[in-house]
Amino acid sequence: MKDTVTLNEKELIAREKLNNPSFMKTIWREILHDKMALGSLILLIILLSTAYLSPLFIDQAALTRVNFLNTWKPPSAANWLGTDDGGRDVFGQLMIGARNSFTIGIAITVIAGMIGLSYGLISGFYGGGVDNIMMRFLEFMMVLPTTMFIIVFVTIIPNYNVFTFILIMSVFLWLGKARLIRSRALQERELDYINASKTLGTPSWKIMFFEMFPNLSSLVIVNMTLTLASNIGIETGLTFLGFGLPAGTPSLGTLVAFARNPDIVKNKWWVWLPAALLILVMMLCINYVGQAVKRASDARQRLA
Amino acid sequence: MLKFILRRTLLMIPQLILLSLVIFMLAKAMPGDAITGAFMGNPDATPEQIEKIREKFGLNDPWYVQYGRWLGKAVQGDFGMSYTHQQPVTTLIAGRVENTVLLSLFTAIMIYLIAIPLGIIAGRWTDSWADKLIVTYNYVAFATPTFVFALLMLFVFAFVLGWFPYTGSVDIKIESGTWAYMVSRAEHLVLPVMSGAIIGTVGTIQYLRNDIIDQKTKEYIKTARAKGVPEGRVYSRHILRNSLLPIAAFLGYEITGLIGGSVFIETIFSYQGLGQLFIQSINLRDFTVVTALVLISGTAVVVGTMLSDIILSLVDPRIRIE
């Protein structure tokens, strides 16, 4: 008697899983269906694994060594993408730059995502006066000229390094996310499960982060994938202007920054052009995958 | 309506005060202060003399007194002296404003010239090959960072093809006021404007396309078709009238966004505008100029957003109800 019940339960769960595939499964199905997204994902994986595994076959110490006999060499068999002003191999720097840019892009996205998520959840969960004050503050943050503020902070901060840079960027890049999460949280708080939980006396923080958040997770994942691309763009852009990653940590923007000199733009294209194109390709790929993820999160838009 | 305008304008005041306060604190955190620009260049100044000057200029007062004085001066257009240029910041900025305004204005015009026809085509003939092409273009433009695109434009059109000059806002050898001057001015504008405009169309195209697709199925369009209005007129007289108005209202956001975003384009094309001045000043640690520029662009965003909100509410009464 008991056995049949468990069997039925198991069967039920299995059937339910089949009918309601997890979000990750839906994303995967959507990507498989969209050949461009699949291609982008594969290209991205190839690019990133080459960049992250490059220390295995590229001598990193050689990349920091200045060799004046070998400066500004055009691409050749020894230096696939030529050399820069210090005779350093551009291809090796490109790989390290891609790695740093991507890692830092992820770090900023995660930190800014957490700030935005907490802010939006708190604002939306409490609603009313709290929401009103928090939204006024958010509106104010949104009118600040972000690029200028980041540049000013980068310049005046006392001990400037990669971590402070990530923090400065995160402080200004959570705003859109907070607004998005808040609008969804406002709808969610009216639902019965939240009310039931409140009646049972669950602490507010627990409701917010363990009951409300899982229901918003697909929204967060979609938003994070799409902002990852733009965060990489902002980071490389700031590094290009000279206000991004400190000199010890080369980014793709560091290589592109060579192009601030007209002579290099024109005559030594191999130094900056590959990095610029790599940024472009990475952004396009991440965005394409992001669009597929976005479609997967909304049943009406799905292609698969 | 008047109530909405009044409320929206009043909302701007705390924003502006908070903005000035944040920038004042930022300015205090920067090395150097208002007298650095005017007197630090003089190597004969002794510490006692500097202390006297500090006292005279009230730099030893409590911060709120200093803030009040600073704001009072800023409102009257006095931002202090630039250390590196040895001239009032206001004069320095006034010399650059024209260039940046020209750049932003032409970029905005170009954005509309490109985006409106494309948006209409994509919305009217949904899922046609033209629509697919436009959607792809929009997608690529969305993903491309401004500085990468501007650099590629510079490389291709100024260096490889050599069609346009690659630096400055005008040829310095040409006398001001002549026809040749205007032509040179225009030539120097083409690349910066196009770099901003081609990838700046995303929002407008997307909005227009979605809105037209939305309007197409509405009852009033069915009515128009039923009474025999020709297809072209359905679009030009009925749908577009509704879809284009909000676009016009976005102009405020668009231009303020462009003024703030010109940092990259002006740097890449060595275009003598406010964005380039900002980067130059911060590299030279000329913080009086930096503070003034941040304050100006912040204020521009606040005012521009307000104007757009008001125009949008004039155009679309639903927004007012909130």
Side-chain angles (χ1 to χ4, degrees):
Chain A
M1 186 66 194
K2 217 179 169 224
D3 278 333
T4 46
V5 171
T6 43
L7 196 77
N8 279 344
E9 251 171 27
K10 266 186 191 161
E11 215 172 64
L12 263 174
I13 291 167
R15 205 173 291 164
E16 202 170 310
K17 269 202 171 152
L18 206 67
N19 289 334
N20 301 302
S22 72
F23 185 49
M24 282 303 153
K25 241 188 190 140
T26 326
I27 293 176
W28 182 235
R29 210 168 56 186
E30 186 69 30
I31 289 177
L32 279 185
H33 183 83
D34 183 353
K35 290 289 172 288
M36 277 293 281
L38 186 64
S40 301
L41 188 66
I42 293 172
L43 184 60
L44 201 60
I45 290 171
I46 293 173
L47 281 176
L48 289 177
S49 48
T50 323
Y52 278 89
L53 295 175
S54 63
L56 295 177
F57 50 87
I58 289 177
D59 180 9
Q60 295 222 37
L63 285 176
T64 52
R65 222 176 292 135
V66 177
N67 178 0
F68 285 117
L69 298 173
N70 204 21
T71 55
W72 300 125
K73 284 270 154 44
S76 64
N79 304 105
W80 289 354
L81 288 171
T83 60
D84 68 359
D85 60 340
R88 291 162 296 219
D89 181 45
V90 173
F91 180 75
Q93 292 189 58
L94 191 69
M95 288 296 108
I96 293 184
R99 208 178 61 195
N100 287 337
S101 287
F102 193 78
T103 313
I104 284 158
I106 294 248
I108 293 168
T109 311
V110 169
I111 296 175
M114 284 194 301
I115 304 176
L117 179 70
S118 314
Y119 197 93
L121 275 180
I122 293 172
S123 183
F125 178 78
Y126 288 109
V130 176
D131 178 52
N132 210 343
I133 293 170
M134 286 178 85
M135 279 305 113
R136 290 297 88 75
F137 176 71
L138 188 74
E139 272 166 23
F140 170 69
M141 286 292 284
M142 289 189 114
V143 299
L144 295 181
T146 313
T147 320
M148 285 185 162
F149 262 79
I150 295 178
I151 292 176
V152 170
F153 270 106
V154 165
T155 331
I156 63 176
I157 204 153
N159 54 29
Y160 174 61
N161 55 42
V162 179
F163 296 104
T164 43
F165 175 69
I166 292 176
L167 283 182
I168 294 172
M169 292 271 288
S170 307
V171 166
F172 288 98
L173 295 173
W174 54 271
L175 308 167
K177 213 159 306 179
R179 207 157 67 163
L180 187 77
I181 302 283
R182 174 251 179 191
S183 64
R184 271 295 297 277
L186 270 181
Q187 295 167 13
E188 207 77 8
R189 73 190 277 257
E190 303 297 332
L191 297 182
D192 282 342
Y193 76 95
I194 300 287
N195 277 328
S197 212
K198 271 187 195 159
T199 324
L200 288 171
T202 320
S204 301
W205 62 270
K206 230 176 185 170
I207 302 183
M208 274 185 259
F209 291 97
F210 292 97
E211 291 169 1
M212 210 184 232
F213 168 60
N215 284 311
L216 304 179
S217 58
S218 67
L219 187 73
V220 176
I221 293 171
V222 169
N223 184 268
M224 292 249 242
T225 349
L226 289 173
T227 44
L228 172 62
S230 77
N231 286 347
I232 293 177
I234 297 172
E235 179 270 308
T236 47
L238 286 169
T239 312
F240 165 75
L241 287 177
F243 302 98
L245 294 183
T249 324
S251 127
L252 288 174
T254 319
L255 282 173
V256 186
F258 278 106
R260 278 187 295 172
N261 178 343
D263 172 59
I264 295 175
V265 176
K266 191 180 179 190
N267 299 319
K268 302 178 175 89
W269 56 268
W270 60 86
V271 184
W272 67 272
L273 191 60
L277 292 178
L278 186 59
I279 294 174
L280 196 59
V281 170
M282 259 167 68
M283 305 263 293
L284 283 170
C285 288
I286 297 175
N287 263 306
Y288 228 101
V289 175
Q291 294 295 340
V293 174
K294 190 178 174 189
R295 284 196 306 271
S297 78
D298 181 359
R300 279 167 304 179
Q301 293 181 26
R302 262 175 231 163
L303 301 174
Chain B
M1 187 63 231
L2 214 70
K3 215 174 109 197
F4 177 84
I5 294 181
L6 207 68
R7 219 173 52 190
R8 188 62 190 77
T9 321
L10 286 179
L11 191 75
M12 195 179 77
I13 294 167
Q15 272 188 343
L16 282 177
I17 292 174
L18 209 55
L19 177 78
S20 65
L21 208 65
V22 168
I23 291 172
F24 176 74
M25 287 191 288
L26 212 59
K28 281 275 133 192
M30 295 173 192
D33 46 41
I35 64 161
T36 319
F39 299 99
M40 288 304 166
N42 181 2
D44 296 332
T46 63
E48 291 81 39
Q49 281 172 321
I50 291 175
E51 192 51 40
K52 231 188 237 165
I53 294 164
R54 285 184 71 85
E55 193 62 51
K56 190 180 148 212
F57 278 77
L59 287 169
N60 298 329
D61 290 344
W63 68 269
Y64 47 87
V65 178
Q66 291 193 42
Y67 167 70
R69 197 181 306 124
W70 172 78
L71 190 65
K73 278 187 175 175
V75 169
Q76 292 165 35
D78 177 6
F79 294 102
M81 286 284 280
S82 154
Y83 171 55
T84 43
H85 295 87
Q86 288 300 325
Q87 53 174 317
V89 174
T90 318
T91 324
L92 196 63
I93 290 177
R96 302 280 194 122
V97 161
E98 191 199 337
N99 277 338
T100 294
V101 169
L102 264 185
L103 178 66
S104 310
L105 200 68
F106 279 114
T107 311
I109 293 173
M110 267 328 279
I111 286 179
Y112 287 129
L113 281 182
I114 301 172
I116 290 175
L118 291 187
I120 292 173
I121 293 170
R124 180 167 176 177
W125 291 283
T126 329
D127 286 328
S128 66
W129 60 266
D131 176 41
K132 281 186 184 125
L133 212 64
I134 291 166
V135 169
T136 312
Y137 153 66
N138 221 25
Y139 160 73
V140 173
F142 172 75
T144 312
T146 315
F147 79 105
V148 170
F149 185 69
L151 268 176
L152 293 176
M153 291 282 280
L154 176 76
F155 181 58
V156 173
F157 291 104
F159 290 118
V160 176
L161 299 172
W163 290 353
F164 300 103
Y166 61 85
T167 179
S169 50
V170 71
D171 196 330
I172 42 168
K173 279 172 282 185
I174 301 173
E175 211 170 309
S176 151
T178 57
W179 174 247
Y181 182 83
M182 303 286 277
V183 172
S184 157
R185 206 59 205 264
E187 270 182 345
H188 282 83
L189 263 173
V190 172
L191 277 183
V193 164
M194 291 315 283
S195 305
I198 291 178
I199 59 170
T201 52
V202 179
T204 314
I205 293 185
Q206 209 166 37
Y207 175 85
L208 204 53
R209 179 176 182 269
N210 290 344
D211 202 63
I212 291 175
I213 292 174
D214 219 39
Q215 303 280 354
K216 270 202 285 203
T217 54
K218 291 261 167 78
E219 295 288 328
Y220 77 96
I221 295 302
K222 275 187 197 153
T223 315
R225 289 218 175 93
K227 69 180 191 191
V229 177
E231 194 61 17
R233 274 174 78 92
V234 168
Y235 280 91
S236 63
R237 295 292 292 272
H238 296 260
I239 292 183
L240 287 185
R241 186 166 288 183
N242 279 318
S243 299
L244 281 181
L245 281 175
I247 300 260
F250 291 149
L251 192 72
Y253 304 120
E254 199 85 62
I255 288 194
T256 49
L258 288 172
I259 289 177
S262 58
V263 173
F264 287 105
I265 288 189
E266 286 182 8
T267 307
I268 287 168
F269 293 101
S270 317
Y271 186 84
Q272 310 273 318
L274 293 179
Q276 197 207 23
L277 181 67
F278 176 75
I279 297 295
Q280 282 170 346
S281 304
I282 207 153
N283 277 328
L284 295 166
R285 301 292 185 268
D286 195 343
F287 287 113
T288 35
V289 185
V290 170
T291 313
L293 284 172
V294 176
L295 186 64
I296 288 172
S297 58
T299 312
V301 176
V302 173
V303 176
T305 315
M306 180 201 70
L307 285 180
S308 262
D309 279 356
I310 290 177
I311 300 173
L312 206 60
S313 76
L314 280 174
V315 170
D316 189 349
R318 277 170 305 179
I319 291 165
R320 256 178 284 157
I321 294 167
E322 195 204 344

